[in-house]
Amino acid sequence: MLRHKILDKPHKQKFKFKLFAYCFMNSHIHLIIQTPKDPNISISKIMHAILWRYALSYNKAHNRKGHFFSDRFKSPIVQSDKYGLTLLKYITQNPVRAGMVKRCGEYMWSSYKVYAEGKNDPLIDLLPSYLGLSASRRIASKMFRDMVEGVV
């Protein structure tokens, strides 16, 4: 997987966005991004750069040409803390729903372990609604795991 080549610090610094979550699938990617307040930097510009780089890296690795994704990206707006957590849960469960793994923690191409296990990933900005679960990162991680695994 090419995550490290697609999402990187220079990309984030150039476009000044926050990346709250990701999940790379075989045919698409899920991202939770907060765009900057800069009117010259839009979600379209950010996604164009990310998807262009993804296609370029994939094509180089697999000796092919052209677009990788055929559909335009979708960009629902997250306006509430509750929806933010719901979206984070949905994204992390996607590999399980697709039958790629039995449990979210088995899938290595997502930010699940950042939230569920407290792993450090310098690309991830923790989702404010996740931080609101508990002042303790250990407790917030357990609450998130329980939520994703269906305990709550």
Side-chain angles (χ1 to χ4, degrees):
M1 187 62 68
L2 305 164
R3 184 216 81 126
H4 65 285
K5 292 183 179 181
I6 299 146
L7 296 171
D8 58 14
K9 280 193 172 194
H11 239 101
K12 280 187 68 180
Q13 290 168 344
K14 177 181 178 181
F15 292 104
K16 302 174 188 124
F17 66 88
K18 290 185 178 182
L19 176 65
F20 294 120
Y22 65 86
C23 185
F24 287 88
M25 302 294 288
N26 292 338
S27 62
H28 61 284
I29 58 175
H30 292 274
L31 304 171
I32 300 178
I33 292 177
Q34 181 180 38
T35 57
K37 296 196 184 313
D38 183 341
N40 296 314
I41 301 175
S42 66
I43 188 68
S44 293
K45 284 184 180 181
I46 295 167
M47 289 306 298
H48 173 78
I50 291 171
L51 296 176
W52 176 82
R53 190 164 188 173
Y54 191 89
L56 185 70
S57 299
Y58 184 88
N59 288 346
K60 185 176 179 182
H62 294 91
N63 197 28
R64 67 181 290 274
K65 294 181 181 182
H67 295 279
F68 184 80
F69 300 111
S70 59
D71 292 336
R72 189 182 190 297
F73 70 91
K74 297 173 182 80
S75 59
I77 296 173
V78 178
Q79 292 187 352
S80 74
D81 288 341
K82 184 176 180 182
Y83 182 60
L85 278 175
T86 300
L87 189 57
L88 181 60
K89 177 182 171 183
Y90 172 83
I91 286 172
T92 59
Q93 289 175 329
N94 212 20
V96 174
R97 281 192 306 277
M100 299 168 81
V101 292
K102 293 202 183 294
R103 300 180 61 108
C104 298
E106 298 169 12
Y107 195 69
M108 60 189 294
W109 306 113
S110 82
S111 53
Y112 172 79
K113 291 181 180 184
V114 171
Y115 289 98
E117 299 174 12
K119 300 282 185 193
N120 182 43
D121 185 334
L123 291 176
I124 294 295
D125 302 285
L126 293 175
L127 191 67
S129 49
Y130 167 82
L131 293 171
L133 291 174
S134 174
S136 163
R137 181 83 189 270
R138 184 181 57 77
I139 293 171
S141 291
K142 175 159 183 356
M143 291 173 74
F144 181 73
R145 275 193 316 274
D146 289 349
M147 190 171 52
V148 169
E149 301 297 330
V151 176
V152 173

